[in-house]
């Protein structure tokens, strides 16, 4: 168990996932949280990271920081995605080792798995085949972070391990159409089509890929559960390098778009433009390992989408004031 007064550093606390982790820890009574903004500590700057760790000496680190984006951003900013993410994770993980951090959890991404991995995807599928080309640079950076944690454990005995979340959505998501993931992109496109009174909305791809979606507060709950229930050797002794986190359920993108249309109240037609890439055909995680440990998700997709859309509408209202 992590003591309530332990100093916990949340890297990436201004983002959707980091912010949810911070909320969860605060609600659970953790009172010594450290979460500087990127303007205060640039995680790409090795010297700045080392100075921060030497000054603050955190006992626990949750590494949720990184450069992220949807299929468009991943495919057009490929060099940035691999370069910046490699720097962030290398700086934070090594500084954690140098300052004798007691526990570190690194957040990867389900894009680390091969494009045609067996479904549902078990943790053992890592490095078993070629990656999806559109997000290969980002995936390679995340795989490097996983292997950093694993080998800092094997060489130095560091209590560092990784988790592999499925597709995350929720409050504080990124709704910029140039860099957003599928759920916020669909919400924004369909909401704006309704606002314009459009009879149709054009969406990327064929709509046939299947994806799994986890509400961000459920991910935060899973991370706090793992902080308090397992250590690195519990992971690596199972012959894996990380733990999957998800719902174990997936949905076709076309059905997801239809569900969002119903929530938004858009009565027009959805058209899919197949000239745009679909990405991986299916991506469903095997979450039996974390379920056996005692954790399960609690938010249904419908409820999570409703909460996310409500938050998006409230944000739009704030922007017009």
């Amino acid at each position: 168990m992590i003591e309530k007064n332990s100093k916990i550093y949340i890297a990436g606390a201004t983002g959707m996932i980091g912010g949810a982790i911070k909320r969860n820890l605060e609600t659970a009574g953790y009172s010594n949280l450290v979460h500087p903004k990127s303007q205060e500590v640039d995680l790409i700057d090795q010297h700045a990271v080392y100075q921060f760790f030497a000054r603050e000496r955190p006992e626990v680190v949750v590494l949720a920081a990184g450069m992220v984006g949807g299929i468009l951003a991943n495919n057009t900013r490929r060099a940035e995605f691999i370069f910046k993410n490699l720097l962030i994770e290398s700086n934070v993980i090594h500084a954690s080792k140098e300052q004798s951090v007691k526990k570190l959890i690194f957040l990867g991404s389900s894009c680390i798995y091969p494009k045609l991995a067996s479904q549902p995807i078990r943790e053992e599928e890592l490095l078993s085949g070629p990656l999806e080309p559109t997000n290969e640079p980002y995936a390679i950076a995340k795989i490097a972070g996983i292997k950093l944690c694993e080998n800092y454990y094997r060489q130095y005995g560091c209590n560092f391990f990784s988790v592999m979340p499925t597709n995350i959505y929720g409050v504080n998501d990124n709704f910029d159409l140039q860099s957003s993931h599928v759920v916020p992109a669909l919400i924004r496109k369909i909401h704006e089509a309704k606002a314009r009174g459009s009879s149709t909305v054009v969406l990327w791809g064929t709509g046939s890929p299947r994806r799994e979606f986890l509400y961000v507060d459920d991910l935060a709950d899973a991370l706090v559960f793992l902080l308090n229930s397992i250590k690195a050797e519990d992971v690596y002794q199972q012959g894996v390098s990380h733990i999957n986190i998800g719902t174990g359920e997936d949905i076709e993108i076309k059905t997801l778009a239809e569900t969002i249309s119903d929530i938004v109240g858009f009565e027009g037609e959805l058209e899919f433009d197949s000239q745009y890439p679909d990405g991986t055909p299916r991506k469903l995680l095997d979450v039996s390992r974390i379920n056996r440990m005692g954790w399960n998700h609690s938010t249904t997709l419908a409820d999570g989408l409703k909460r996310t859309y409500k938050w998006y509408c409230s944000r739009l209202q704030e922007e017009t004031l």
Side-chain angles (χ1 to χ4, degrees), residues 3-14:
E3 297 292 333
K4 296 295 185 181
N5 62 350
S6 294
K7 181 174 282 191
I8 303 174
Y9 169 41
I10 307 167
T14 57

Side-chain angles (χ1 to χ4, degrees), residues 229-242:
S229 61
I230 70 167
K231 51 189 181 296
E233 66 178 312
D234 298 326
V235 178
Y236 302 124
Q237 286 181 354
Q238 297 183 52
V240 296
S241 54
H242 59 278

